[in-house]
Amino acid sequence: MLELLDLAGSVVTLDAMHCQKETAKRIVAAEADYILTVKGNQGNLANRLLELFLEYGEQRYRAEGLRKHVTVETSRGREECREYYAIAVPDEPLFADWSGIKSIGMIFRVRDDGDVRHSEATYFISSLPPKVIMLSRRIRDHWKIENSEHYILDVTFSEDRSRIRAGSSPEISAAFRRMALNILQQDTTVKDSIRGKRLRAGWDETVLDAIYAGFNMV
């Protein structure tokens, strides 16, 4: 898919599933930048980022070159504080194979939900310089889109209740759901909600054909 898109000058933000060396290489080759979330599927990288930010924490996050940005948001009565940290990528062999990498970072989130406090730390790598405010805005935009998409996929497509489990079937079915959602979101032939468009397309093949034809003309 990356090869089909004109990415020049863009910033590609991807979740941990797509944190792969080949993906980073293709994005940089397309003259674009990336921000990739790092989790357990990249075990050595994730462990090293954890070690580094524990070391920075022991220094009260005052390491040379480490930048910090804090945001606080209140939504539906819940307050969430996010601390963003970014620093130039260390000169270590572990990072050398990641094409174009310039910075590493951590987001520490604390959310108060009534009397319960939730906290989580996530890590990322990027081909962008360690300008923490700029990085935080890109990451936040990614989460806004992802949260909105996940809500629609769960409510309209019942993704969380899917019983598809075997082999690569969950990934394939998820890709088809997202493709269908993208087509319905771009459609202008039917004036209805995503749920309504989906139902009408299932009931009437002429509606389905019109939606699909409109998408092909985009």
Side-chain angles (χ1 to χ4, degrees), residues 3-211:
E3 294 176 348
L4 298 175
L5 300 173
D6 180 10
L7 297 176
S10 301
V11 177
V12 180
T13 58
L14 296 170
D15 59 24
M17 180 174 68
H18 302 290
C19 183
Q20 306 290 339
K21 293 176 183 177
E22 184 62 26
T23 300
K25 182 179 179 180
R26 289 178 181 270
I27 292 172
V28 172
E31 300 181 358
D33 287 294
Y34 62 79
I35 303 174
L36 305 179
T37 300
V38 180
K39 289 187 178 178
N41 63 319
Q42 291 289 342
N44 292 336
L45 181 61
N47 289 337
R48 184 57 183 144
L49 291 174
L50 173 61
E51 291 172 357
L52 284 169
F53 280 94
L54 284 175
E55 293 174 10
Y56 299 146
E58 291 173 356
Q59 303 171 45
R60 297 182 180 273
Y61 297 105
R62 294 174 181 170
E64 183 178 356
L66 183 67
R67 295 172 173 82
K68 176 181 179 181
H69 177 60
V70 179
T71 64
V72 178
E73 292 184 9
T74 300
S75 176
R76 300 176 183 176
R78 295 181 298 184
E79 184 176 273
E80 181 167 306
C81 175
R82 302 183 191 90
E83 297 178 2
Y84 298 85
Y85 299 89
I87 193 170
V89 62
D91 184 13
E92 298 180 8
L94 179 63
F95 299 103
D97 291 337
W98 291 88
S99 181
I101 187 171
K102 293 180 182 176
S103 61
I104 62 173
M106 178 182 77
I107 309 104
F108 184 68
R109 291 184 286 178
V110 177
R111 186 180 77 249
D112 289 325
D113 190 359
D115 295 330
V116 181
R117 171 163 287 193
H118 305 274
S119 62
E120 178 188 22
T122 56
Y123 304 92
F124 64 87
I125 60 174
S126 178
S127 62
L128 294 166
K131 297 181 179 179
V132 70
I133 294 178
M134 177 268 294
L135 288 167
S136 72
R137 289 172 179 167
R138 297 285 188 178
I139 292 167
R140 186 61 184 143
D141 286 345
H142 173 89
W143 283 341
K144 285 178 180 177
I145 295 170
E146 190 168 87
N147 289 341
S148 174
E149 182 181 83
H150 284 175
Y151 177 81
I152 296 172
L153 288 169
D154 183 28
V155 172
T156 305
F157 289 80
S158 300
E159 183 169 71
D160 287 352
R161 293 187 292 277
S162 173
R163 306 303 297 171
I164 300 173
R165 296 287 186 271
S168 59
S169 298
E171 290 80 7
I172 294 171
S173 59
F176 277 115
R177 289 190 200 98
R178 282 159 176 75
M179 181 176 69
L181 176 58
N182 288 335
I183 292 172
L184 292 172
Q185 286 177 326
Q186 294 182 46
D187 174 66
T188 57
T189 64
V190 179
K191 295 185 182 300
D192 207 336
S193 65
I194 297 297
R195 180 188 291 275
K197 289 181 181 181
R198 185 173 179 232
L199 288 172
R200 291 172 65 178
W203 291 333
D204 189 340
E205 288 190 2
T206 59
V207 175
L208 175 62
D209 290 340
I211 291 174

